[in-house]
Amino acid sequence: MQRFQHYIDGGFADAVNGFDSLDPATGAAWAQMPAATPADVDRAVAAAERAFFAPDWALMTATARGKLLLRLADLIAENAQHLAQLETRDTGKIIRETSAQIAYVAEYYRYYAGLADKIEGAHLPIDKPDVEVWLRREPIGVVAAVVPWNSQLFLSAVKIGPALAAGCTVVLKASEDGPAPMLEFARLFDKAGFPPGVLNVITGGPEVGATLTAHPKVAHVAFTGGPETARHILRNSAENLASTSLELGGKSPFIVFDDADLDSAVNAQVSGIFAASGQSCVAGSRLVVHEGIKDAFLARLSEKAEAVVIGAPGDMATEVGPLCTARQCDTAERLVAQSVAQGARLITGGKRLERDGFYFPPTILDCDGVPDAASLSNEFFGPVLSVVSFKDEAEAIEIANNTQFGLASGLFTRNLTRAHRMIRAIRAGIVWVNTYRAVSPIAPFGGHGLSGHGREGGIEAALDYTRVKAVWLRTSDDPIPDPFVMR
Ligand code: NAD
């Protein structure tokens, strides 16, 4: 079995404890992963803190930081295929997706490399004579980054990139489910030439995340995962009042009006819910479709769903691979069965496939007349689409916003004025109009409500890793007058 190591203080280290990582395509163990102890977490945070204050990082110019990030981006691009194969092996995410996504991850590091020396302070036109006041934007300190198993290289790039561009240092806890790509990424990071301790990569289960996010030396916690874990994180970070950015789940509405380009809408919906086997925080898992086109839309959609190529994740022809864990297959099956028992109509799929590995087929549930269907309100990572129809714009908005989440949304219509009204009314951090699932390093990404707070991507993310210092400099050589009057 392949063995992986932690990356702490610029060196690779075995851990006292370890655990097996399973290949989701077979269910068999394929690699030994290190499990961090509290002492490992402490060592990693101490290394990050030393690095934060060490002159070779603290006094490095932002331009030089940017150049290191550029070198890292080049290394990722050169090794994208190898990283993609590892992610596919360890998480079951299909190679078609990991290859494309990881090549694009390099662009995130390039974007933040370019941004490093554009994170500017400000000069204030202050209301007093003989004084200059300006704002310095300074890095916030040691960042604890905690990521889930899906798209870890991508989800960590939107944390590591802006954090390092801003001058912070990072301890990243890779998910215990499929940590291989992150531990391998650490080797590329090491090659890029950053000072030791600037990034540390460890892994292990919830207890490791809890120790890290409660660590008194951590200034900011950047988390992606589920809302329940986020509540734990907030409690953990309350110890030292660390700031947080939380990228959580969604139950995103995919709204289709009767004037939509149906071919495009069907394709976008297929991508929105069946790509990544539905294991995507922005999955368009609630189809909100106009009643006049519901039957036609579902006929086309189920035809496509049934034609999807299900297979080994390492095969380029595969369109839907296994889910990452057996646990997720159980959850998907349970929630579908519960929804059917509540009255939802199963159009296709619904049961795990009888073969090795954690395979669940594309599934469509008609939930009309069953507003409380379990599949409509529960966020779960699986290729399961719940369908509800609407009569008019007002009802579409009501259904779309009938969720505690607020991450993404999709809207298909050719009516420009309606599109604008809907964009205003939809409560979500992202609205895709006549497209879906597009992302870019330039555009901020994130939500509100149970979908969390803070933004990843764009300039907003880099500012999250800074704090402002107001500097007052008196320019007069005259003695300070009355010491008891504040000026
Ligand atoms: P999870 O919340 O179970 O775990 C995420 C990470 O948190 C893991 O590394 C885990 O070890 C760690 N963790 C668990 N308990 C912890 C604790 N008490 N303290 C600190 N860390 C702890 O999530 P998951 O099941 O691995 O991933 C799926 C979730 O992630 C879904 O809800 C999904 O929507 C969300 N997600 C969100 C985005 C986004 O950008 N908004 C992207 C991908 C996934």
Side-chain angles (χ1 to χ4, degrees):
M1 280 211 293
Q2 210 165 318
R3 286 177 74 89
F4 288 83
Q5 293 176 304
H6 284 148
Y7 179 60
I8 300 175
D9 204 11
F12 292 89
D14 286 321
V16 184
N17 304 322
F19 60 96
D20 288 346
S21 206
L22 306 187
D23 179 341
T26 61
W30 77 279
Q32 252 287 300
M33 300 299 170
T37 59
D40 292 328
V41 173
D42 213 43
R43 225 156 47 79
V45 176
E49 196 198 25
R50 267 196 311 280
F52 182 73
F53 291 111
D56 55 356
W57 182 248
L59 302 183
M60 186 184 280
T61 63
T63 310
R65 286 202 303 272
K67 283 185 180 157
L68 286 175
L69 283 167
L70 266 188
R71 203 174 304 156
L72 176 62
D74 289 344
L75 285 165
I76 293 168
E78 284 161 27
N79 292 277
Q81 200 51 28
H82 173 54
L83 290 170
Q85 278 159 356
L86 271 179
E87 182 161 345
T88 292
R89 184 80 200 269
D90 213 14
T91 68
K93 191 174 167 78
I94 63 173
I95 193 76
R96 260 162 91 159
E97 291 189 49
T98 54
S99 309
Q101 190 179 52
I102 293 167
Y104 198 46
V105 160
E107 297 307 316
Y108 278 77
Y109 284 101
R110 290 204 175 102
Y111 174 79
Y112 284 109
L115 195 68
D117 58 10
K118 289 152 203 86
I119 301 172
E120 295 170 350
H123 183 269
L124 305 187
I126 209 76
D127 57 342
K128 298 179 192 327
D130 297 330
V131 74
E132 294 290 332
V133 179
W134 69 94
L135 301 182
R136 287 172 53 79
R137 271 212 178 260
E138 299 186 344
I140 201 162
V142 174
V143 173
V146 178
V147 288
W149 49 269
N150 66 317
S151 312
Q152 288 195 67
L153 285 162
F154 171 69
L155 295 174
S156 55
V158 290
K159 298 172 177 60
I160 296 170
L164 300 193
C168 293
T169 57
V170 178
V171 179
L172 179 117
K173 188 196 88 64
S175 172
E176 64 277 29
D177 297 318
M182 287 321 302
L183 297 168
E184 187 64 15
F185 163 84
R187 300 206 166 266
L188 302 181
F189 188 87
D190 191 62
K191 269 196 203 155
F194 288 86
V198 166
L199 173 72
N200 306 271
V201 184
I202 57 175
T203 187
E207 62 298 340
V208 181
T211 311
L212 175 62
T213 54
H215 200 289
K217 297 283 170 61
V218 163
H220 181 88
V221 179
F223 172 72
T224 299
E228 204 38 55
T229 316
R231 291 191 185 96
H232 286 289
I233 300 256
L234 284 175
R235 281 181 219 118
N236 297 345
S237 56
E239 260 327 292
N240 51 337
L241 301 180
S243 54
T244 53
S245 41
L246 305 173
E247 290 298 338
L248 312 178
K251 199 72 205 175
S252 303
F254 186 102
I255 308 161
V256 187
F257 280 90
D258 53 359
D259 64 346
D261 171 346
L262 285 199
D263 289 333
S264 284
V266 167
N267 277 342
Q269 177 68 92
V270 167
S271 152
I273 187 63
F274 302 137
S277 302
Q279 305 168 109
S280 163
C281 55
V282 293
S285 53
R286 290 187 298 140
L287 168 61
V288 184
V289 60
H290 188 269
E291 59 182 11
I293 55 163
K294 177 184 166 191
D295 290 344
F297 194 84
L298 285 186
R300 289 201 208 186
L301 190 64
S302 48
E303 193 183 319
K304 291 227 172 199
E306 283 159 12
V308 156
V309 180
I310 302 175
D315 186 339
M316 266 316 238
T318 296
E319 293 170 333
V320 167
L323 300 187
C324 182
T325 60
R327 195 172 67 241
Q328 279 169 252
C329 263
D330 297 344
T331 309
E333 208 163 49
R334 180 171 49 78
L335 286 167
V336 170
Q338 192 180 335
S339 308
V340 170
Q342 290 173 291
R345 200 167 56 87
L346 188 61
I347 297 176
T348 186
K351 274 200 176 315
R352 67 168 58 191
L353 301 184
E354 290 192 8
R355 56 188 284 178
D356 285 344
F358 316 135
Y359 286 89
F360 199 86
T363 296
I364 303 175
L365 277 170
D366 183 349
C367 296
D368 261 343
V370 197
D372 298 330
S375 65
L376 272 176
S377 53
N378 285 282
E379 195 235 14
F380 58 104
F381 261 28
V384 179
L385 179 68
S386 304
V387 183
V388 187
S389 65
F390 66 87
K391 282 191 196 53
D392 54 23
E393 210 173 296
E395 197 182 10
I397 292 167
E398 193 187 313
I399 296 169
N401 288 340
N402 185 21
T403 172
Q404 286 186 284
F405 292 101
L407 184 56
S409 58
L411 172 64
F412 275 77
T413 178
R414 287 185 169 114
N415 181 327
L416 187 64
T417 51
R418 170 196 285 152
H420 278 279
R421 286 191 301 273
M422 293 292 292
I423 290 164
R424 264 200 307 268
I426 292 170
R427 295 199 291 266
I430 304 163
V431 184
W432 283 300
V433 184
N434 296 330
T435 182
Y436 203 80
R437 242 178 138 236
V439 290
S440 159
I442 301 161
F445 179 102
H448 49 77
L450 284 193
S451 297
H453 56 241
R455 289 293 179 268
E456 296 194 316
I459 293 168
E460 279 80 357
L463 297 184
D464 263 4
Y465 293 98
T466 66
R467 58 182 157 223
V468 160
K469 182 182 275 175
V471 185
W472 292 70
L473 186 144
R474 187 163 177 263
T475 54
S476 168
D477 290 331
D478 297 340
I480 291 183
D482 187 346
F484 295 103
V485 176
M486 207 168 108
R487 359 191 128 261

